[in-house]
Structures are given as C-alpha cells and as structure tokens.
Amino acid sequence: MLAVAWVSVTASPAAEAASEPNPSLEITKGANLTILHGGQRFGDLEPCSCPTNETGGVDREAQHVADYRKALGDILLVEAGGIMTPAGQEEYRAVALKFIYQALVAMGYDAINIGAWELRLGVEYVTHYVKESGAPAVSANVMAVDGKTPLFPKYRIIEKKLADGQTIKIGITGATASKYIPRPPDPNRMSNASKELMALRDQRDEPILKLDSILDRATRKMVPKTGKNPLNLPVEKAVVINYVQALESALAEMKPQCDLSVVLFDGGSFEAEYLAKVLDADVLLTNEARTPPAPPEQQPAVIEGTIVSYSGIYGRALGRMDLAVQKDTKPKMVAGYAITIGRNDPMLDSMTKLMHKYRSERRAIKSDYDPQVTKVNYVGHEICRRCHPDEHAHWSGTTHAEAYLRLVARGEDDDKDQLARVVTGMGELGGFTTFEKSNYLANVQCEVCHGPGHKHQVNQRLKAIQEKFPNMKMTVRPAPMKKDFTEQDCVTCHSKQDDPDFDFKAALEKVRHTKPEQPTVE
C-alpha cells in the first residue's frame, strides 16, 4: 500500500471570531481534477449537538461546495452511500431521506450510490424520493426481485472540463454490501457475522440480501393488510446481488466509454481495500471514515493501482482528492484532504431555507418517540457511537447486534422471556418496551454489558464544558461504566437451559474490544 499526502483542513476554534480563509481551495500543484466525496450520513441534515465542537450541517456543506466550485471550476462531487440510520421511527427516517436527496441534488452532486440502510427503510421510499428529487442515483447490485433487472442506473457517464483545459468522460458506478464488515483488531478474531458476509461475497451467484424477508421487515412497521407503508406508498421488494460480481460487470461495460472510472462503495474501509485489489478501477471511494484526523488505516492510499479514499461521518466532513488525470493513462493521486464542516463556517442561504422545510415536516409527524430528546437511563447505541466509533464498529459485526432481528426471523418475538434476552433494558427505567416505541434499544447493545449510559453521557459533557471554561463552577459526579466481566454477567441470557453450549471465555474473546480508547467528548 502506497500512502499519499493527507491534510486535515478545519475551521477555526469556536472562540475565534471567524474562520480563516481555507488555503486548500487552490488546486494542488500538478493536479487537474478535484473530487469531493461524502458518505455515511446516518440521516443527519443538522449539525451535531456537541457542546464544544459542533460540526456538520448540509447548509454549511453547501457553502463549502459553492466555494470550491467558484475557486476550482468543474469539480466532481459524489456520495458513497450510507445516507440513512439503521434505526428510528420510520416516518422520521423517511422525511430525512427525502430532504437529504433534495439537498444533494441542490448542491449538484454528480452521482449518489444507493446504500443498504436506505433500502432497509423501504425500497419504495428510495425509488420514490430518487424520482421525486431527480437524484443521480447509481447502483450496480440493487435489483428487482428477479435478481436481474436493475432498479437504478448501473453507472453514469459524465463529462468534466479539467483545470488544464482537457475535457474527459468519467464513468461512475456503485454498490452496497448488506452491512459493514468492521476492520478486525486481530484477523483471527473476526466475528462470525463478518465471516458469514465474506463467505456470501465469495459465492458469486448468491444474493447477499433479499429485501422481502421477515428479518428486513423487523426494521420497519408492518403493513401486511394494505400493502402500503405509513406514507401510503405501495411496498416494494428488491434483491441486493453480489457486489463483487456486479461491479466487475458494470466496469466491463462502463470502462470502454470513459477516460476515468470511479466506484462508490457503501460497505466500509476494510472491505473497500479488498475490492481495490480485485477490481480494475481507477478510483474507489467508500464511507466509514472518522471525523478528521482519520486513523492511519483510513487515509487516502493507492492499493494495487487503485486510488482509495474514505469520506466523513454524520455529514461532518467531506473527503477531497486532487488527481492528475491524462487520457489513456492511470490517474495519479497528488494529494488528499479531509475537510471538516465546522460550526463557524458560513451557511448557504438557499440550503438553510430547505432545512426549515425539513424541520417543519418533521414537527408535523405524530411521534412514537423523538430520537433527539434526552433519553432517561438508557440512551441507545447511536449515542455511544459518537465517542466510541471503533468499539461500535466491532460490536456491529457481532451477533449481539442482530439478536432481535434473528428472534423476529424465527417468529418468537411474542415470547417475553426470549424478547428480554435480545433487547436492551427491558423491564427497567428507560429500557425497551415495544419495537414501535423504543426500537433504538432493539438488539443486545452496549448498555446491556456496560450499564445504562445516560449519567455517563451527561458527565462527559459536563467534563468537556469544564475543561473549556475552567472558571465555571459545576459539580461533576463520577459515572463509571462497567468494563470488567465475569461469567455471572452473561448467564442472564446465556443460561445452561437456554444456551447449553455457552463457553464464557471463548464468547468473551469474540465480543471484547481489543483497542479501548479514551472517550472523545463531543
């Protein structure tokens, strides 16, 4: 792997009056094409609510894009997928999807890859809002139920005028995995769920996800009698076919028609690096990156001739690559940048107006619960992910992260004893009640093992504020989370009666986070 230059470009700290001019608006010497790319937004249009380092917001992102276009001219702007969050009230998520597509179209995105979590919300939502917004969707592996008819264009060919005056044709295709394969801290400790997905990847003729199963419907409201979803759209079905095979086929068709080939992949950095080795593509862009600065394994790189780059998370950052492109030759990576969308960055007025419409439609929804309100006692894995992304990525590849869905797939979710073993905090203050009212606590999440997180979350925020304002008087009470475990902690769910083959030591090794990090408070 050949690493390339990586620069993190951020706005000025909040204490300063205004952000300094962004020096990276100038194209890097030797480059003639700039690519801006996003991904893994998790349904966020708004900036994060972090007390000391607020980032994100599509109105700020839109101003960044406008500034780059003004300075650099014809840039390439693409989205790798992962637009939606995997949980939450269906109506809220649908409105978020609708307005994210509208925002990306308004910013002039050239291509938007379709991700697995968008499809799990409901295939009909994706097809409807793509058509309604005019979003330039691409997907080589999302098919109708026959497994052969594409639901979206497999690729797009667009023209771009380079900084040196050349005009080139760029081919863009995309694909999604059914879920992310986390980067294993030790190759010998890869979770069974990750091994299963990698096995599916290597079975070329088998679909990796059928979006008409009980397992899929467990993530959304049931509408079997009407055949329509809560927004009165007829329910659609789809099949996600093998992404390696689909991308190979799309590239074979696309490459003879273009000068530069770009693959958008919704599936994470670990699997993207595998694809770079097996696909004949010039550029591969994926999600699952962290807010800058990125860890070493998520910095732009050239892997066996393919340029690989990773985009930001929660809409808090954009990836930028400056390439040297010539017809009939492999492009060269000149520099890679991560651009943080900071709290002091200006907002594009037209996009701010779009966000007002989004908020208005969101307020009109009859709420099962509001995922933005402070939760009592149990907060859910999405809150934990903000400060512990590595641990969350490891957890998401374990069977704990699918326990509720597997119970539903077996048709046993009416059994309260079984249900209590596969959700978080059932029967306790602020814990799981029903899927409709508390689906953010479905599955065996962080707080099952580490304890309720609300006090810990508040405590960490107070610590951050105290560090920023040392003269402010406040009381910060300890709120430790459980880190050491014995077999007795597990037998509530893994009793001899329910799980006679349970081996505590072996099981602990599968779920233990090998790289604990100090929480970064946001």
Side-chain angles (χ1 to χ4, degrees), residues 49 314 316 382-389 457 461 522:
S49 56
Y314 296 113
R316 299 178 190 176
E382 287 293 337
I383 299 297
C384 304
R385 187 209 312 249
R386 295 177 183 176
C387 298
H388 305 283
Q457 179 195 15
R461 285 175 176 264
E522 300 176 313

Side-chain angles (χ1 to χ4, degrees), residues 5 7 30 64 67 126 144 160 177 217 223 271 273 334 352 357 370 400 472 477 489:
V7 180
H64 272 284
D67 290 344
V126 182
K160 291 289 178 181
R217 292 199 304 274
V223 284
E271 190 68 352
E273 289 155 16
V334 179
T352 301
K357 293 181 180 178
D370 188 337
H400 279 169
M472 182 183 292
R477 296 183 177 86
D489 295 310

Side-chain angles (χ1 to χ4, degrees), residues 375-381 395 400 403-404 416-435 437-454 489 492-493:
K375 301 178 178 70
V376 177
N377 208 26
Y378 287 92
V379 297
H381 69 97
W395 165 82
H400 279 169
Y404 174 78
K416 291 186 177 181
D417 290 335
Q418 292 291 329
L419 182 62
R421 296 171 58 217
V422 299
V423 296
T424 301
M426 185 171 170
E428 301 179 36
L429 176 66
F432 181 93
T433 54
T434 66
F435 184 80
K437 293 183 178 180
S438 53
N439 54 25
Y440 63 95
L441 293 175
N443 298 311
V444 180
Q445 300 185 18
C446 322
E447 294 166 284
V448 172
C449 299
H450 297 288
H454 180 248
D489 295 310
T492 302
C493 299

Side-chain angles (χ1 to χ4, degrees), residues 163-218:
D164 58 7
Q166 292 184 77
T167 297
I168 65 167
K169 290 184 177 181
I170 303 175
I172 309 167
T173 185
T176 182
S178 62
K179 64 179 290 184
Y180 299 111
I181 299 180
R183 185 183 301 277
D186 178 346
N188 297 319
R189 289 186 56 247
M190 183 172 289
S191 70
N192 289 335
S194 293
K195 291 177 181 177
E196 289 171 10
L197 183 56
M198 293 179 73
L200 282 173
R201 175 196 73 192
D202 296 331
Q203 295 172 13
R204 295 300 189 90
D205 297 323
E206 293 295 322
I208 59 172
L209 184 64
K210 292 184 178 180
L211 289 152
D212 61 352
S213 65
I214 296 175
L215 183 65
D216 169 57
R217 292 199 304 274

